[in-house]
Amino acid sequence: MLPQSIYQSDLDGRCVFANRALLASVGMSMEELRGKTPFELYPRELAEKYRQDDAHLLKTGQAFETIEEHRVPATGEMIYVKVIKAPVRDVRGEIVGIQGIFWDVTSEHIARQLSDEREAHAATVRELSTPLIPIADKIVVMPLIGTIDSTRASQVLDTLLDGVVARQASVAILDITGVRDVDSSVADTLVRAARAVGLVGAKVVLTGIKPSVAQTLVELGIDLGSIVTSGTLQSGIRYALQQMHPASAPSPGPLP
């Protein structure tokens, strides 16, 4: 017996053929099933969907496929079914009925749903781990916490660059107060972020540089180039605001 259920119906939706798999799923013989419509086999809501699908197929003459939730009449089990329907034509090319094939794809559908949920969860985690926060007109802050590996470094660059462009920011503050370790890889990420942001016309302010971090950067010989550095987030924000309103703000001087 084929795992796929195969059937054929006339223009009124009455069954004229069903294979053994379909007969087993509805718990009927061919004699019992012949002439019956979906409204005599399935819940009304599902049968109505079948009717609408068939009407669309008869109108367009085009085959289609879909995945739908389905209750097995013989067992009451809820499954996901992939359905492919196509018109049946006579020798003159006129549509005289509908033929279809459907089969259980519950395991594949659930696996896909779980995969989508995992990806959505991962995306949420990524967003929470690299948030971009607008604090004033044309100023955004990205507080970084924890460890920055190669994957997260890529997320930082993508989120920062996309956010700067989307918000038309002029200053992006990267706060590394919560970063556990600053090594050459982290420093390279910061430099690349500054260069990328600079290419779209904005400036990076690096805040949260503790003495130990500053010493590490010196020992590594990292040239931060055009990145403005600051010991605290507050002083970095003050500097950014001064850049936005230079006429009304005092000269920033050295950043603490």
Side-chain angles (χ1 to χ4, degrees):
M1 182 171 63
L2 293 174
Q4 295 88 358
S5 295
I6 302 172
Y7 77 95
Q8 185 174 322
S9 62
D10 61 19
L11 294 176
D12 295 321
R14 295 187 296 263
C15 180
V16 298
F17 168 78
N19 71 341
R20 292 167 60 188
L22 178 55
L23 294 175
S25 74
V26 298
M28 294 182 179
S29 65
M30 187 65 242
E31 289 72 22
E32 294 172 317
L33 184 59
R34 194 186 311 276
K36 284 186 167 51
T37 70
F39 286 92
E40 300 173 84
L41 301 170
Y42 305 111
R44 185 168 187 81
E45 183 178 352
L46 182 59
E48 178 62 26
K49 182 181 186 307
Y50 285 155
R51 186 193 67 79
Q52 293 176 2
D53 288 345
D54 291 350
H56 180 72
L57 185 149
L58 293 175
K59 180 179 179 180
T60 63
Q62 299 296 317
F64 71 92
E65 66 179 65
T66 184
I67 294 179
E68 55 199 26
E69 198 172 22
H70 180 92
R71 185 180 296 278
V72 180
T75 64
E77 178 188 7
M78 292 300 297
I79 63 174
Y80 289 95
V81 174
K82 184 167 186 177
V83 180
I84 300 176
K85 289 186 176 182
V88 177
R89 300 179 185 274
D90 61 15
V91 293
R92 295 171 298 177
E94 295 183 1
I95 298 176
V96 295
I98 294 173
Q99 59 187 353
I101 177 171
F102 57 93
W103 63 99
D104 185 353
V105 293
T106 303
S107 58
E108 296 93 330
H109 185 77
I110 292 176
R112 186 160 50 249
Q113 283 185 320
L114 291 174
S115 177
D116 292 343
E117 290 174 2
R118 283 194 296 268
E119 177 56 33
H121 175 71
T124 300
V125 171
R126 288 195 298 270
E127 184 177 348
L128 291 174
S129 66
T130 53
L132 189 67
I133 305 168
I135 61 169
D137 184 36
K138 296 186 179 300
I139 301 175
V140 294
V141 175
M142 178 180 284
L144 300 177
I145 300 173
T147 302
I148 299 180
D149 56 17
S150 59
T151 299
R152 192 168 176 214
S154 178
Q155 294 169 5
V156 168
L157 288 172
D158 291 343
T159 302
L160 183 62
L161 194 56
D162 291 345
V164 166
V165 172
R167 297 182 180 279
Q168 298 183 322
S170 297
V171 180
I173 301 173
L174 278 175
D175 182 59
I176 63 171
T177 303
V179 176
R180 293 173 185 169
D181 299 301
V182 176
D183 54 16
S184 59
S185 176
V186 173
D188 179 65
T189 296
L190 300 175
V191 172
R192 286 191 293 136
R195 290 173 180 168
V197 169
L199 290 175
V200 295
K203 177 182 294 186
V204 166
V205 176
L206 182 61
T207 66
I209 299 181
K210 298 182 285 289
S212 59
V213 172
Q215 183 176 353
T216 298
L217 295 175
V218 170
E219 292 174 352
L220 292 172
I222 301 297
D223 180 10
L224 295 180
S226 62
I227 302 178
V228 176
T229 60
S230 171
T232 66
L233 176 59
Q234 290 84 350
S235 60
I237 292 174
R238 185 169 64 250
Y239 171 81
L241 291 172
Q242 291 169 351
Q243 296 303 297
M244 294 297 96
H245 308 286
S248 59
S251 174
L255 297 184

